Amino acid sequence: MAESRHIETQCIHEGWQPRNGEPRQLPIYQSTTFKYDSSEEMGRLFDLEAAGYFYTRLQNPTNDAVAAKITAMEGGVAGMLTASGQAANFFALFNICEAGDHFIASSAIYGGTYNLFGVTMKKMGIDCTFVDQNLSEAELDQYFRSNTKAVFGETITNPTVSVLDLEKFARLAHRHGVPLIIDNTFATPVNCRPFEWGTDIVTHSTTKYMDGHGVTVGGCIVDSGNFDWLAHKDKFPGLTQPDPSYHGLVYAEAFGKGAYITKATAQLMRDFGSTQSPQNAFYLNLGLESLPLRMQRHCQNGQAVATFLSQQEQVAWIDYPDLPGDRYHALAQKYLPHGSCGVMAFAVKGGREAAIRFMDSLKLITIVTHVADSKTCLLHPASHTHRQLTDEQLRESGIAPDLIRLSVGVENSEDLIADLRQALAAV
Ligand SMILES: *Cc1c(COP(=O)(O)O)cnc(C)c1O
């Protein structure tokens, strides 16, 4: 489809374009396997000599249609769905890192990703250095090693809603001959397209705004096709040396700009199998159709709620990049000119106890371990996800003991503000 179309149009029409007499809506290919007339044809698929479907663990037409839609939205060249956002981030790195390698990640990233990088991947022999994303380029330069293979960050971090300086990180990564991988979950391509700022690979937890209704866990990886693997041949042997599991095929030579996603599909999905179910891909596609409308409302509501909270006597502090006084407002204006997202962090005066009383007084807004869907919800990490930590330990992990993460949905903002007002009065 014409690349110049706007994202609202892409969200409706990209991916599945029915031919004459075919279903108007994206069909769910609820099939593990695909039939061929000759063993010759099937064999060519297994050798990656022909493109086609043979087993859903590797590829499925429903999934591919949805991945193609997200790829178009991001302005990339190839993409794939994964079973979760965790799987997307793991594969995005494991596709180019192996035991003995190292990568650099912002320390402000989502807790689940922090564990994956800092604990589990370490056990696999892949070392990660966490850095303060607000350091200068010269300071960040010092963390690179000869075995560094990638730089990782989030457009807007979860839960501290810090905006990453994408251009700074892209310059840094490229100066050291490695790709920049950005988790674009909170911004979505509706509000930021990281490839336009030099990012090489984008990941998503589609569980959040893309699905938007809190019904499916899923992930996605999109490649811009811009990183030149062959120019850094020694650093990325997985892409530039023969793959013995495919008769010595060299991905970067055989597939050009499609090499990274082809390898992740043909090798990692084949071996790890963290595939999204076609049924979930179908739900995700429905969510994507309304994503631009919802993001607009999430941002309008976010602005209204954040402005209200910032004016309340009982509120100790609030972080929301769209507020003029926010420490990330300048970066948000550059990278997120149409708004950031519906997530904000704030605190009620009076510490943990006040936070608990406030939350228990809410009537419309619910306490759930989720963010970024249509229903407004909140979470207090100190009494929920991180409750085993002391205040001291919380501060060490960058989370204030009084931090409340509020994810503003798409209800009417007056009703949300009324609920917040009565709960603040009860504190
Ligand atoms: C939720 C989240 C993830 C993990 O995604 P799952 O779909 O829950 O596996 C990764 N990154 C960010 C920014 C998230 O918010």
Side-chain angles (χ1 to χ4, degrees):
M1 183 175 282
E3 229 206 271
S4 56
R5 295 228 168 104
H6 295 88
I7 200 155
E8 294 83 354
T9 310
Q10 292 178 325
C11 282
I12 301 294
H13 292 291
E14 283 286 352
W16 173 248
Q17 282 128 28
R19 288 172 303 222
N20 193 40
E22 285 189 336
R24 183 75 188 88
Q25 313 309 340
L26 171 66
I28 305 174
Y29 285 85
Q30 195 69 45
S31 183
T32 55
T33 41
F34 299 82
K35 179 223 162 225
Y36 289 91
D37 288 339
S38 72
S39 67
E40 160 74 19
E41 275 177 90
M42 186 81 133
R44 284 165 52 78
L45 297 177
F46 272 97
D47 284 348
L48 300 184
E49 282 171 6
Y53 299 98
F54 53 96
Y55 193 50
T56 287
R57 168 150 41 78
L58 288 91
Q59 273 185 292
N60 175 282
T62 307
N63 293 22
D64 280 359
V66 181
K69 178 178 282 189
I70 298 172
T71 301
M73 291 160 65
E74 287 285 6
V77 297
M80 64 193 278
L81 298 188
T82 57
S84 66
Q86 287 295 107
N89 284 332
F90 172 64
F91 288 134
L93 283 152
F94 196 65
N95 204 28
I96 50 172
C97 294
E98 56 187 48
D101 286 345
H102 168 256
F103 66 99
I104 291 169
S106 161
S107 60
I109 55 173
Y110 169 68
T113 314
Y114 194 93
N115 271 330
L116 169 66
F117 292 175
V119 180
T120 303
M121 287 182 74
K122 231 161 222 166
K123 286 185 195 160
M124 305 172 91
I126 300 170
D127 199 16
C128 174
T129 302
F130 293 105
V131 299
D132 175 351
Q133 64 183 46
N134 296 318
L135 292 177
S136 72
E137 274 183 69
E139 287 168 311
L140 289 165
D141 269 333
Q142 300 168 22
Y143 294 101
F144 284 81
R145 308 178 189 165
S146 57
N147 60 343
T148 302
K149 299 297 167 75
V151 177
F152 182 96
E154 293 173 359
T155 318
I156 307 169
T157 64
N158 175 6
T160 50
V161 289
S162 311
V163 179
L164 187 83
D165 190 340
L166 293 170
E167 281 192 314
K168 176 177 83 176
F169 266 65
R171 270 195 308 273
L172 192 72
H174 296 159
R175 185 155 65 240
H176 293 274
V178 301
L180 174 62
I181 303 176
I182 291 294
D183 180 333
N184 197 32
T185 298
F186 271 18
T188 84
V190 173
N191 283 343
C192 179
R193 304 208 311 165
F195 294 156
E196 291 170 1
W197 305 100
T199 298
D200 301 288
I201 292 147
V202 157
T203 61
H204 285 279
S205 165
T206 60
T207 315
K208 313 295 164 51
Y209 288 118
M210 283 192 168
D211 167 297
H213 302 77
V215 295
T216 60
V217 171
C220 184
I221 308 173
V222 184
D223 182 16
S224 69
N226 292 335
F227 194 83
D228 187 352
W229 308 105
L230 289 167
H232 306 280
K233 227 175 156 122
D234 298 339
K235 261 196 204 312
F236 303 104
L239 282 154
T240 62
Q241 307 290 324
D243 179 355
S245 70
Y246 281 110
H247 310 306
L249 177 126
V250 177
Y251 292 99
E253 286 170 2
F255 300 104
K257 283 181 180 294
Y260 176 89
I261 291 294
T262 302
K263 175 176 178 289
T265 304
Q267 196 185 65
L268 301 186
M269 286 309 227
R270 178 197 63 191
D271 295 351
F272 290 92
S274 310
T275 315
Q276 188 165 132
S277 80
Q279 180 91 37
N280 278 1
F282 174 83
Y283 289 130
L284 170 57
N285 186 56
L286 290 183
L288 290 170
E289 290 200 358
S290 63
L291 182 67
L293 282 168
R294 290 185 289 103
M295 288 312 288
Q296 195 178 13
R297 175 64 82 93
H298 280 294
C299 291
Q300 283 168 357
N301 280 357
Q303 186 75 45
V305 167
T307 303
F308 165 78
L309 287 173
S310 70
Q311 293 162 350
Q312 303 312 300
E313 178 57 31
Q314 303 98 318
V315 171
W317 56 267
I318 175 161
D319 287 337
Y320 185 61
D322 298 359
L323 283 180
D326 192 85
R327 62 199 158 129
Y328 291 104
H329 191 59
L331 285 174
Q333 282 187 307
K334 176 174 176 178
Y335 296 116
L336 304 151
H338 306 299
S340 57
C341 62
V343 182
M344 61 196 67
F346 73 101
V348 175
K349 284 179 189 160
R352 278 191 198 222
E353 300 73 43
I356 291 165
R357 232 173 309 130
F358 164 73
M359 290 188 299
D360 288 348
S361 306
L362 290 165
K363 297 190 168 84
L364 174 65
I365 299 170
T366 48
I367 304 170
V368 294
T369 316
H370 199 237
V371 275
D373 69 41
S374 56
K375 301 174 184 71
T376 300
C377 61
L378 51 64
L379 184 83
H380 181 219
S383 31
H384 305 135
T385 47
H386 297 64
R387 66 176 296 132
Q388 71 285 2
L389 303 189
T390 63
D391 285 5
E392 179 87 338
Q393 288 170 319
L394 274 172
R395 276 191 210 94
E396 275 168 20
S397 48
I399 295 172
D402 56 356
L403 181 148
I404 293 171
R405 181 184 70 184
L406 175 65
S407 173
V408 176
V410 293
E411 302 94 335
N412 186 302
S413 62
E414 287 178 24
D415 295 331
L416 300 174
I417 289 170
D419 195 29
L420 291 165
R421 182 180 279 120
Q422 65 81 24
L424 283 173
V427 175

